[in-house]
Amino acid sequence: MPDLNLTESRLTRTSAGTMRTGSRTSVTSTSARRQRRVVRVIVRLAEWWRAATAGAEAAARWAGRTVRPAGAVVAVAATLGLALGLVFGWVEWMVAGAASLLLLLMSVPFLFGARAYEVDLALQHERVTAGHGVTGEIVVRNDSARPALPGRLDIPVGRGLVEFGVPFLRPGHSATEPLEIPPLPRGVVRVGPVTTVRSDPVGLLRREHAFDDVHDLFVHPRTVGLPSTSAGLVRDLEGSATRRLVDADMSFHAIREYAPGDSRRQVHWKSTAKTGRLMVRQYEESRRSRMAVVLAAATQEYADADEYELAVSAAASLGLRAVRDARDIDIVTGSEIPRVVRGRLRAIRHIPVISSRAMLDGFSAIDRHENTMPVEDVCRLASEANERLSIAFVVVGSAVPLVRLRQAALTFPADTAVAAVICDERAHPRMQSVAGLTVLTIGTLDDLSGLLVRGATA
């Protein structure tokens, strides 16, 4: 009998424990489900919040690009008018708000079709001379299946803007408009991208779409014809022998004994037969004329912008003559130096001289700089880069005194002829010699040619 009671007691405790365990398991599963629901709700709220934020940002960007100031005023009037009219029952405010809202809704259809156009922009010339304009053509086609409402094209030309009106175009039709760009100063002018503009008559809303067609128009500096580098101040130095001895050239110097590495083609067989040892010819290196044109680039070295343009044209004329005569030439100018490292960094810019077009394109892209090296340091770097210069031209403005020009000339080797070209629009053309330095002063670009020819007969 006691055993039975003990067994029943154990069964009772076991049953109670099982019930308690099942209850705890049930509570745990319910809590886990609630947590999962809470997590799903939080995730969905986060997704909705991100979507709403992205939508609000997109709407703000669209509004910033589309809504004009007048449209913003009308939108505020519509909102305030309808809100105050409904809250306070003011009929006048409700009418004003409804009229403003209707005006905004009527402006929306004018925005359609901004991407329906296909625009081709063609320029007659990609390179012109300063002071000359250029013509082109714009072809606008409606490639959509629906008619395109009248619109406008905006074409940026440098810092300016050219506008064209586009008429009503049926599907597949096109319109051609001539483009005339007025005379431009020297530089690289970006033409494009063409932008289609859609706007309502009142100017409340505006929509733009830019195309990818962009043209770089190179406006070259003015140049003048100069005498050939085989005459005048720039004399031909081809074939003039130097004191440097080489193994092969045109000017024979002597015969010496063969050394390992010498070319067998230079063996002098008669001397070899007489001496019984291999003898080779030795030559004096013929000097090949190499010219350098150094253009001052510091703003402080010129009286004004027109004087700098005269200097650029003079340097370009000298370089163009040398390139056409197939001479070796280096054209350098000062480069922009950050203010924080000014005085500790030296840098020059080389103008490409592989062809006349490349050289003039390089002159189109240069400009004066506030933070750059003085012309003396530019000449020093040009001399270090080319040790065998025959003649060097240093082109500066009227703000550079003769003392500095003399210092610039001393940076070149002693056997290099140095000529300075001072550009001063207020001065009369003249040529003078200052301590072995030839100084040409020009007031116009045409003076340069006359002074160089005079140097040939002087």
Side-chain angles (χ1 to χ4, degrees), residues 1 6 23 32 67 113 186 240 248 254 291 356 374 401 445 449:
M1 200 59 189
L6 181 60
S23 177
V67 181
R186 181 190 59 83
S240 298
M291 188 171 73
S356 301
L445 186 59
S449 177

Side-chain angles (χ1 to χ4, degrees), residues 240-256 262-269 279-287:
S240 298
T242 65
R243 296 181 180 180
R244 184 178 179 182
L245 301 180
V246 294
D247 293 335
D249 212 308
M250 295 182 297
S251 180
F252 177 76
H253 174 65
I255 295 176
R256 62 172 175 83
D262 289 338
S263 174
R264 295 296 182 91
R265 292 180 299 178
Q266 303 302 331
V267 174
H268 193 264
W269 295 109
M279 305 297 290
V280 295
R281 300 180 184 90
Q282 196 171 31
Y283 299 85
E284 290 179 335
E285 183 182 31
S286 297
R287 186 179 186 182

Side-chain angles (χ1 to χ4, degrees), residues 31-113:
S31 176
R33 284 196 296 271
R34 289 178 180 174
Q35 291 178 356
R36 286 194 293 270
R37 291 195 190 99
V38 172
V39 170
R40 284 196 295 268
V41 170
I42 293 175
V43 171
R44 289 178 181 176
L45 289 177
E47 292 176 352
W48 292 341
W49 176 256
R50 285 196 296 267
T53 304
E57 292 178 354
R61 289 194 298 268
W62 179 87
R65 294 192 305 264
T66 306
V67 181
R68 300 290 94 189
V73 172
V74 173
V76 172
T79 303
L80 292 178
L82 292 177
L84 295 178
L86 292 175
V87 172
F88 297 101
W90 295 341
V91 179
E92 294 84 358
W93 285 82
M94 293 182 62
V95 172
S100 301
L101 180 61
L102 181 61
L103 190 60
L104 282 175
L105 295 177
M106 292 175 60
S107 302
V108 172
F110 290 93
L111 304 181
F112 299 152

Side-chain angles (χ1 to χ4, degrees), residues 21 29 89 115 150 164 177 180 217 245 254 265 345 385 410:
T21 304
S29 62
R115 300 174 181 268
F164 284 99
E177 295 287 345
E180 293 185 4
L217 179 62
L245 301 180
R265 292 180 299 178
L345 178 67
L410 292 176

Side-chain angles (χ1 to χ4, degrees), residues 290-295 329-334 346-350 373-394 408 411-413 416:
R290 187 173 188 87
M291 188 171 73
V293 177
V294 179
L295 175 64
I329 181 174
D330 290 322
I331 304 176
V332 298
T333 185
R346 302 191 304 170
I348 57 176
R349 178 174 180 175
H350 289 265
M373 297 186 304
V375 66
E376 304 96 299
D377 294 339
V378 178
C379 291
R380 183 175 292 106
L381 286 183
S383 176
E384 293 174 358
N386 301 280
E387 298 179 353
R388 297 160 59 192
L389 289 174
S390 303
I391 186 170
F393 281 91
V394 183
T411 61
F412 294 98
T416 301

